[in-house]
Amino acid sequence: MSQLHRAQKGSRHLLMGNEAIVRGALEAGVNVAAGYPGTPSSEIIETLAELATELNLYVEWSVNEKVALEVAAAASFAGLNALAVMKQPGLNVAADFLMQLSATGTRGPMVLIAADDPGALSSVNEGESRPYAKLMEIPLLEPGDFQEAMDMTRWAFELSGAIGNVVLLRTVTRLSHASGNVVFHELPERESVAQFQYAAGGGPLLSLPVKARHEQQQEKLRQAVALFEDSPFNTYSGPDNPEALIITSSICTLYSREAVEILGLTERVGILKLGTTWPLPNKLVERHLARADKILIVEEVRPFLEDEIKALAAESAARIGIKSFYGKRQGLMSSVGEMNPDKVVQALSHVLGLPLPNTESPYEKRVTEIAIEGAPNREGTFCAGCPHRASFWSINTALSMDNRGGFVCGDIGCYSLAATPAGFTTIKTLHSMGSGTGIASGFGKLGQFGMDQPAIAVCGDSTFFHSVLPPLINAIHNQSNLILVVLDNDGTAMTGFQPHPGSPVNAMGGGVVKVDIPAICRALGAEVVLGDPFDVEGTRRTFLKMLERTGVQVLVLRQPCALSPEKKGKKAYDMAVDEQACLGASCGCNRLCTRVFSCPGLVWDEKANHSRIDEVMCTGCGVCASICPVGAIGMKEFA
Amino acid sequence: MLQKGLCVDCGACVGICPYFKSHAGKIAMLFSCNLPQGRCHAHCPKVELDLERITQATFGKPYDGSPLGHYSEIKKARAGARLQGRGRFQNGGSVTALIAFALKSETIAAAALTGSLGLTPVPVLATSEAEVIACAGTKYMAAPSVASVNDYLRSGIGNLGVVGTPCQIAAVAQARLNPLNKPGFRDVVALTIGLFCTWAVDTRSFGALVGDKTDACAVTAMDVPPPPASVMEITTTSASYAIPLDEIRKTIPGGCAICPDMTAELADVSVGAMEGEPTWNTLIIRSARGAALVEQAVRGGYLELADLPLASQENLARGAAGKKKRALLKAREDRLLNVDPASGRSAMLIDDSVVQRILAG
C-alpha cells in the first residue's frame, strides 16, 4: 500500500479501482473518511485506515452508513476534506440524512462514494445509486476507467468545494475490483485545522427556510452543470458524422469501445462517454446528439441515462431533429444484470442491421460442452468449519421438531446463505440489514389472527449494531414474541473481518470500547441465553426450550469465523472417519454427513463406500462427530 | 403419512435413522431422505398395514375382522398381593404386575414402557421393578414409545418386553418381521402387552387445554370415567378438574380416527379397564406365551384373576366392533383403505370380504 501515498507525480502504477479512488482522495487532501463495509466498496476505507496514522487522517468503520455519512459531514462542517464510503444498499440507509445534508450544503469539500453491484455478484439486489443524485439534487460523477477513478475522485472534492454541496461518485464492482494502470498526480501539503464556524463565516447548518435553501441547492446544481459542460471527463471518439452514436458512462465505456472494435465500426460509430451523468450538461449532449440519427444508450441495469437523454432530446428536437433511440425501453437491452461487450455487439448489430458476428470459436464451444458434461454442480456453501452451518443445523432441526411451522427471518451477511441448501433452506425471508428482526417483530404480533408459527430472526454481530437494535427495541416495547439469534462470529466476516462496535480495536488498529451484545439485550429487557454453535445438541435443546416460551428472547451463539485470523490454520480436533463403523450406503442415514450436512471438510468416497475427512479442508471444529448417527466420525483433541 | 396428518407419534420411525425425531407429541422429519424404501415406512402402523399378513405372522391365523381379534381367554385381573398398594395404578395394575413379574422371572431383561416428564409422556426402558411401578398409569397422550424398542433392537441384547397401545404393538409386530431383510437382524421381543385404546390426544394441544385449567406439571392422575359422564378428570396435587370430552376430542390426532383396533389385537396379552369395577382390569390372553406368563404371574402372587361376566365381554366386543366400523368408514372416505397402488398409498390393507363383514356387523 505504501506506493499510494509515497509514489510521486507522474509515476505509473497498476491499481485496483478502489485503490485508485484512495489515491484520488489523498491527492485531494482528504482528512476524514468513514464508511460501513460492503462489497465492492470495502477496500477504500481499509486502505485509508492503513495510511491513517502516517498521514494524520481519521478513518473509521462506522456503525452503519447513515452514521458514516454524518461523521464525514461533521468533518466537512468543520472545514475539512471529508469522504463517506458505502455500497449501494448503504446509500438507502444513509438517504434520510443525505436528503437533509444536500439541503444545508457542506463547508469543507465532501464526497460520497457509492459502490453499485450490477448483477448482484455479492449482494441481494442490484439496486442503483444513480437515481439518488436526482432525488437528492446533488451532482453525480461516474468514472469510466481506472485513471478516471483517481482523477474524478480528486475532482469530486474540488467540485464539492466549489459549489458547497456533497458530490456523489458512483463506482461499480467491475471498476472497484478490477485493476488497471494509473498515472499519479501530486499529493498536497497536509496542514488542516478543524473548526465549525456556526457564527461568523458560515452560520448554523439548517435546511430552513426550506424554499430559500432549496433554491440555493438548485443554484449549486446549475454551477455544477456549467462546469460539466467543459469537463474533460465527457469525451467523444469517432467520426464527425457517425451512422450511430453510442452514449455511455461508467465501466460500460470499455464494453462499448470493445464492441465497436469487434465489429470493425470505428469509422462508422461514435461513442460519447459521459463522466458527469447528472445533471446532464445539456449543451454538450445536444451537440453530440446532432451528429447522428440513431442513438444507442449503453448502461447497466435501469435506463437512467436513457431517460435523461430522451428528455433532453425532446427539448432539443426543434434544433437537432427527431432521433431514433435504442436501449432498454423498447427491450433491445435488458434492464437486469451486468453489461458486457457481447451484449453491446448484439445491440449495435441490430441498430445498424448487421449480421451477428460468429464470436464462438471451436475452442470456446468445446470448453462449454466439457463444462456441461463433466463439471460437478457446485452450489454456494459455507466454508468448512463455519459456525453458521452448525447454528442453522440446530435451528433448523429444532424448528422441524417443534412442528408448528416456525421459520427464520434472515438478514444480511454470510448467513444469508441459509436461504439455500447450504443452510438447509432455514431462512424464509431475506431483505435488508436489520429487517429480519423487524419482520419477526411483526410476525410475533399476529397471534390475535390465529398465527401460532414461531418467528425467529437471525443477525450477525455487525448487523446487530448496524440496524437490529431499533427493531429489537420495537419488539420488546410492543410485547412481541420472537427469538433473535445473534450469530456472533467476532467481526464483519463476510467483507473481510472489519471491526465493529463489538470489537476491541477500530479501523486504524487503536484500542476502543468494546460494546457487549448480551449486556445490551439484557438491559433492554430481553431474555438472553448464550450458546456455542459447535455444541449442536446443546444448542438444539436450548432452542427447543426457548420455543416453548413467549416474549422477546435473544440467543447469542458465539464462535469465531473459521477464517478469522485467530482460528486460521489451527485445528481444535483431529477428525477421522472410522471406516469400519461408517456403514456407507447400507446405513439408514442416507449419507446425512455429505448429502445434507455437507461440510466441504467431509467427502463421500464412492469407491470405498464411506465418508472420509478431507484433511486439507477440515478445520477440526468437531461438529460432524455429533451429526453421524452411528458415531463413525471420531475427534481427538490436539495435544 | 405426515402430510396426510395420520401420524400418531408411536415412535416406530424414531431411532432407526437420524431423520425422524419426536418432540412434544409429534414426529418431525428433519430433512428429506430420498431413499426409495426405508424401515420408517415399513414399520409404520399407518402406512399399508397389511392386517392379513401381520396377523398370520403373529398368530398363524387369518385376519377375520372379529371385534376383539384372536384370543384364547378373557378374564378380569388385578395386581396380586405382592404389588398391592405399591403404585398409583390406573385400574387394577395388571400391566405393572405382568411386566414386574416378567422381569423378576427373567422372561424379559428390559421393558419398553411409557413414563412421564411433567405432563409429557416419554419412552422409558425399564429394567427394575421400581422403574416399572413408576410408569404405572394411563397417559392418554400419543407417545413415541416404540423409539426405545428401536434402540434396544440395535443393541442386540435379547428378551425385551413391550407395553403399548394398538398402533405401537402393530408397529412392533411389523418391525419383528424384518420387512426390509436387514442383514444381522434378530427378533429380541419376548413379550408384548397391549393396552386398550379408543383414542389418544395430541400432547401439545392437550397440554394447552390442561394448562388453561391448572399447572400441567402438578397433574398426578387422569381418568375418563365411564358414561354417562362425558368428561376427563384431571387430578393435581391440590385439586381436581373436569374437562368436557368434546373439548378433548378436538385434540385427537387424525390417525386415531382410522384405527380399527381397540384392544391391541397383535399383543400376547391385552389389558384395559373394566366397566363398573374400577379396581380391576379386563385381560385378553391371546398367545401361548401370553397365557404362560399370566399363569406364572398368578402363581407367583403378582396377578389375581377372576372370571369376567359375559355381559362385560359382550359390551367390550360391541365397543370394539363399533370402533372397527367407524375406522373403516372413515378410512374408505379418506381414500386410505385398499387404494389402487396406481392412484396412491393406503394406510391399511384388509381383504374386501373382511371389510364387508365388519361394515355389516
Side-chain angles (χ1 to χ4, degrees):
Chain A
M1 293 304 153
S2 60
Q3 61 181 3
L4 282 179
H5 67 295
R6 294 212 175 111
Q8 293 307 306
K9 180 184 176 185
S11 58
R12 180 183 297 270
H13 302 269
L14 179 67
L15 293 187
M16 200 185 188
N18 280 344
E19 292 173 313
I21 287 170
V22 168
R23 173 72 191 193
L26 293 175
E27 290 182 359
V30 67
N31 301 110
V32 171
Y36 184 82
T39 309
S41 71
S42 308
E43 296 82 5
I44 298 171
I45 290 291
E46 277 178 345
T47 309
L48 282 167
E50 285 178 28
L51 305 174
T53 308
E54 199 172 333
L55 297 180
N56 189 32
L57 311 180
Y58 175 71
V59 183
E60 77 168 34
W61 285 121
S62 306
V63 70
N64 64 30
E65 293 86 350
K66 177 172 178 280
V67 175
L69 192 65
E70 288 156 352
V71 166
S76 161
F77 297 165
L80 299 177
N81 289 7
L83 178 67
V85 184
M86 55 201 63
K87 73 180 290 181
Q88 191 284 323
L91 187 49
N92 304 337
V93 176
D96 192 12
F97 175 63
L98 182 57
M99 176 65 87
Q100 310 310 321
L101 175 67
S102 60
T104 66
T106 52
R107 297 279 158 87
M110 177 168 178
V111 175
L112 165 58
I113 294 180
D116 287 11
D117 188 15
L121 303 169
S122 188
S123 308
V124 294
N125 62 49
E126 49 178 2
E128 283 245 31
S129 296
R130 295 180 298 171
Y132 272 103
K134 196 171 171 179
L135 179 66
M136 304 293 174
E137 298 179 77
I138 53 174
L140 171 66
L141 305 180
E142 293 186 77
D145 59 29
F146 305 94
Q147 184 69 46
E148 276 196 355
M150 186 189 82
D151 292 345
M152 215 181 259
T153 304
R154 189 185 59 246
W155 189 68
F157 280 91
E158 207 178 295
L159 174 63
S160 172
I163 65 170
N165 211 347
V166 62
V167 171
L168 177 62
L169 185 139
R170 177 214 188 214
T171 174
V172 294
T173 308
R174 299 291 180 187
L175 180 63
S176 283
H177 281 177
S179 297
N181 279 338
V182 179
V183 179
F184 286 1
H185 302 279
E186 243 170 343
L187 288 170
E189 292 297 318
R190 311 187 60 87
E191 262 186 52
S192 306
V193 177
Q195 189 171 26
F196 178 27
Q197 304 275 3
Y198 55 81
L205 284 154
L206 310 168
S207 61
L208 304 172
V210 171
K211 279 170 70 179
R213 289 287 186 201
H214 200 177
E215 178 51 43
Q216 280 176 4
Q217 185 180 352
Q218 293 185 348
E219 175 53 31
K220 290 172 184 177
L221 282 176
R222 284 190 281 275
Q223 291 170 23
V225 170
L227 295 168
F228 289 175
E229 292 288 359
D230 300 320
S231 168
F233 300 120
N234 303 320
T235 57
Y236 176 77
S237 59
D240 285 345
N241 296 300
E243 290 173 46
L245 173 69
I246 293 177
I247 303 183
T248 187
S249 66
S250 181
I251 202 72
C252 295
T253 309
L254 299 179
Y255 305 148
S256 300
R257 284 183 196 146
E258 196 173 331
V260 170
E261 278 167 30
I262 287 170
L263 292 170
L265 295 174
T266 47
E267 299 304 318
R268 294 172 64 188
V269 174
I271 300 175
L272 173 61
K273 174 256 162 197
L274 294 173
T276 67
T277 40
W278 201 87
L280 283 177
N282 291 6
K283 290 176 200 150
L284 178 136
V285 175
E286 185 182 315
R287 212 161 51 238
H288 290 288
L289 279 174
R291 292 177 188 275
D293 290 334
K294 293 179 174 177
I295 314 293
L296 172 65
I297 318 284
V298 178
E299 61 189 317
E300 287 182 305
V301 196
R302 294 173 58 198
F304 177 80
L305 195 57
E306 183 177 332
D307 288 353
E308 293 298 313
I309 300 236
K310 281 178 173 171
L312 196 156
E315 289 168 3
S316 314
R319 295 186 292 277
I320 61 172
I322 305 295
K323 305 292 173 186
S324 294
F325 283 96
Y326 300 87
K328 296 173 190 282
R329 285 283 174 209
Q330 94 280 34
L332 179 61
M333 299 178 107
S334 172
S335 292
V336 299
E338 286 190 289
M339 186 55 65
N340 62 36
D342 287 347
K343 291 179 183 174
V344 186
V345 163
Q346 283 186 12
L348 196 51
S349 301
H350 173 85
V351 171
L352 294 178
L354 301 171
L356 268 182
N358 182 11
T359 51
E360 197 174 44
S361 70
Y363 173 79
E364 283 171 342
K365 199 175 163 201
R366 185 65 193 132
V367 166
T368 310
E369 282 168 4
I370 290 170
I372 292 168
E373 290 162 12
N377 182 24
R378 289 192 179 91
E379 289 172 340
T381 190
F382 293 120
C383 304
C386 175
H388 295 330
R389 178 183 290 101
S391 296
F392 282 104
W393 181 272
S394 305
I395 295 170
N396 183 292
T397 54
L399 285 174
S400 296
M401 286 170 70
D402 181 74
N403 237 323
R404 285 178 290 169
F407 54 89
V408 172
C409 303
D411 223 298
I412 305 301
C414 290
Y415 51 89
S416 302
L417 264 179
T420 73
F424 324 111
T425 62
T426 311
I427 284 179
K428 305 299 184 196
T429 72
L430 182 60
H431 296 85
S432 57
M433 300 270 292
S435 295
T437 306
I439 293 169
S441 172
F443 275 126
K445 291 303 293 180
L446 301 183
Q448 73 187 80
F449 302 104
M451 183 165 176
D452 67 347
Q453 297 165 277
I456 316 302
V458 293
C459 74
D461 35 344
S462 192
T463 304
F464 176 84
F465 294 109
H466 180 284
S467 46
V468 166
L469 278 166
L472 180 62
I473 292 167
N474 185 72
I476 292 166
H477 173 67
N478 289 303
Q479 296 181 290
S480 185
N481 292 305
L482 70 86
I483 300 171
L484 165 64
V485 184
V486 182
L487 305 164
D488 183 353
N489 60 5
D490 216 13
T492 317
M494 186 167 75
T495 48
F497 295 103
Q498 293 84 2
H500 56 58
S503 313
V505 291
N506 64 11
M508 300 176 291
V512 284
V513 175
K514 181 176 154 78
V515 182
D516 187 280
I517 296 176
I520 292 176
C521 297
R522 279 192 205 102
L524 291 175
E527 289 282 324
V528 180
V529 183
L530 306 181
D532 175 1
F534 285 173
D535 173 13
V536 286
E537 280 304 321
T539 304
R540 180 159 69 193
R541 270 198 308 276
T542 301
F543 200 70
L544 278 168
K545 277 188 204 154
M546 293 176 87
L547 284 165
E548 293 297 329
R549 297 197 286 262
T550 54
V552 176
Q553 304 171 79
V554 178
L555 173 61
V556 181
L557 293 177
R558 189 160 189 282
Q559 185 64 245
C561 168
L563 303 179
S564 67
E566 67 178 285
K567 265 194 180 174
K568 212 167 180 180
K570 296 173 206 151
K571 292 187 182 187
Y573 299 101
D574 183 16
M575 307 300 296
V577 174
D578 180 339
E579 296 176 13
Q580 303 304 313
C582 176
L583 302 175
S586 62
C587 181
C589 79
N590 192 17
R591 299 204 290 113
L592 184 75
C593 55
T594 52
R595 192 182 66 88
V596 183
F597 186 65
S598 296
C599 174
L602 272 168
V603 288
W604 176 250
D605 190 331
E606 197 80 49
K607 278 188 194 148
N609 184 35
H610 60 69
S611 292
R612 62 179 171 78
I613 302 290
D614 183 329
E615 297 284 345
V616 177
M617 295 296 288
C618 177
T619 63
C621 71
V623 173
C624 56
S626 50
I627 300 299
C628 175
V630 294
I633 305 176
M635 51 199 281
K636 210 166 64 191
E637 211 161 332
F638 278 110
Chain B
M1 198 277 301
L2 287 172
Q3 282 163 4
K4 287 178 182 173
L6 298 178
C7 180
V8 288
D9 192 36
C10 71
C13 56
V14 177
I16 293 177
C17 77
Y19 294 85
F20 291 99
K21 298 271 183 205
S22 173
H23 177 72
K26 277 205 160 62
I27 298 290
M29 188 174 186
L30 301 189
F31 299 104
S32 111
C33 162
N34 50 15
L35 287 178
Q37 57 176 12
R39 286 173 292 169
C40 48
H41 270 117
H43 297 180
C44 178
K46 300 294 173 189
V47 176
E48 288 166 353
L49 178 68
D50 185 339
L51 284 164
E52 173 62 23
R53 178 167 175 262
I54 197 74
T55 308
Q56 283 286 3
T58 308
F59 297 114
K61 294 175 183 168
Y63 182 73
D64 59 9
S66 57
L68 302 176
H70 296 293
Y71 62 89
S72 56
E73 224 178 337
I74 304 185
K75 306 289 278 185
K76 71 175 190 178
R78 65 181 175 188
R82 295 189 63 127
L83 285 172
Q84 280 298 335
R86 293 184 54 197
R88 187 188 282 271
F89 304 134
Q90 191 74 25
N91 296 110
S94 304
V95 176
T96 306
L98 283 168
I99 290 294
F101 176 75
L103 277 173
K104 165 96 178 157
S105 62
E106 295 181 359
T107 307
I108 58 172
L113 310 176
T114 306
S116 293
L117 204 64
L119 199 62
T120 309
V122 289
V124 170
L125 205 57
T127 52
S128 72
E129 192 171 283
E131 288 168 327
V132 175
I133 289 171
C135 287
T138 303
K139 312 297 182 295
Y140 290 102
M141 280 158 281
S145 311
V146 186
S148 56
V149 179
N150 288 331
D151 290 344
Y152 199 81
L153 283 169
R154 203 168 33 237
S155 78
I157 309 169
N159 297 349
L160 176 70
V162 182
V163 176
T165 52
C167 51
Q168 290 170 338
I169 296 296
V172 171
Q174 297 206 92
R176 293 175 68 187
L177 297 180
N178 188 22
L180 298 187
N181 299 314
K182 291 289 271 188
F185 172 83
R186 196 159 70 91
D187 178 12
V188 298
V189 178
L191 173 70
T192 54
I193 297 181
L195 304 167
F196 292 6
C197 180
T198 43
W199 39 255
V201 292
D202 171 67
T203 305
R204 197 191 294 268
S205 326
F206 181 68
L209 208 56
V210 174
D212 286 344
K213 307 265 180 200
T214 181
D215 174 14
C217 292
V219 173
T220 53
M222 293 177 282
D223 192 31
V224 179
S230 186
V231 295
M232 176 183 268
E233 286 175 355
I234 307 285
T235 310
T236 70
T237 43
S238 56
S240 64
Y241 305 88
I243 303 177
L245 279 187
D246 283 347
E247 280 184 46
I248 300 280
R249 286 201 184 95
K250 288 177 196 158
T251 70
I252 299 173
C256 291
I258 58 157
C259 174
D261 185 356
M262 192 180 88
T263 59
E265 295 170 26
L266 296 165
D268 291 314
V269 181
S270 300
V271 181
M274 189 190 158
E275 221 172 281
E277 294 198 48
T279 58
W280 284 82
N281 291 110
T282 303
L283 189 81
I284 303 179
I285 302 164
R286 300 185 184 278
S287 70
R289 70 179 180 187
L293 180 78
V294 169
E295 189 197 330
Q296 288 161 22
V298 170
R299 232 185 296 140
Y302 276 77
L303 193 71
E304 192 183 331
L305 282 189
D307 288 337
L308 184 74
L310 197 61
S312 296
Q313 288 192 37
E314 284 169 359
N315 271 344
L316 182 68
R318 221 176 355 259
K323 183 178 179 185
K324 265 194 173 50
K325 193 170 169 177
R326 284 194 303 274
L328 296 200
L329 286 171
K330 175 74 175 152
R332 205 161 63 173
E333 182 189 330
D334 292 350
R335 299 185 48 76
L336 295 166
L337 176 66
N338 300 339
V339 181
D340 176 0
S343 65
R345 293 185 80 171
S346 304
M348 272 181 298
L349 302 169
I350 304 175
D351 189 86
D352 281 336
S353 62
V354 177
V355 173
Q356 292 312 320
R357 197 179 311 144
I358 292 169
L359 295 180

